[in-house]
Amino acid sequence: MAKIQTNASGTRSIEVSDQHLATIEQYQLLRDLIDSNGYVDEDVLDKLRFNIRSLLESETGRDKALLDLCLDVIYHPNMKALGLQNLITLFLNWKKKNQTETDGVSAD
């Protein structure tokens, strides 16, 4: 379980579990999310929410893990652009760590 800061003053945060991060990876929710300018703003957060909403409306979106991610993280009242930026950073670090561990296991 990790915490991401969601505002600049550091008074608000959201807890993110490994299951949440695995769900992000499973659905590739962060793929092609950020525009070419590289900025994470409220529009990017809205884009993510629209993408998830369309997944949930489809038959493939009937996944409890995806619903948990929405309720606990993406649609959390404290989630803002800074929180999404920190979630992306957390996800990339988590993925890198898991890749390193996987590589270490296969090398043995």
Side-chain angles (χ1 to χ4, degrees):
M1 186 75 65
K3 272 190 173 181
I4 56 169
Q5 181 178 327
T6 59
N7 66 352
S9 64
T11 58
R12 298 183 187 262
S13 62
I14 298 174
E15 289 189 357
V16 181
S17 71
D18 283 347
Q19 179 59 45
H20 293 138
L21 297 170
T23 303
I24 291 171
E25 182 175 37
Q26 175 186 351
Y27 286 96
Q28 299 181 0
L29 296 175
L30 302 180
R31 175 183 262 181
D32 300 326
L33 185 65
I34 302 172
D35 296 330
S36 61
N37 63 16
Y39 293 111
V40 176
D41 56 14
E42 294 299 322
D43 290 337
V44 175
L45 180 57
D46 288 340
K47 182 178 174 182
L48 174 62
R49 287 176 173 164
F50 291 139
N51 290 344
I52 291 175
R53 188 174 302 154
S54 67
L55 277 173
L56 288 171
E57 289 174 355
S58 72
E59 285 298 317
T60 59
R62 309 253 185 253
D63 181 11
K64 183 182 179 331
L66 184 60
L67 288 171
D68 288 344
L69 174 68
C70 288
L71 294 173
D72 298 343
V73 181
I74 304 301
Y75 284 95
H76 192 284
N78 291 338
M79 180 56 85
K80 305 290 183 218
L82 178 63
L84 180 57
Q85 176 65 50
N86 290 335
L87 178 63
I88 292 169
T89 302
L90 175 66
F91 174 76
L92 293 174
N93 290 337
W94 175 83
K95 189 168 173 125
K96 184 178 178 181
K97 178 184 169 206
N98 285 350
Q99 185 64 37
T100 302
E101 288 175 1
T102 304
D103 290 345
V105 168
S106 63
D108 289 341

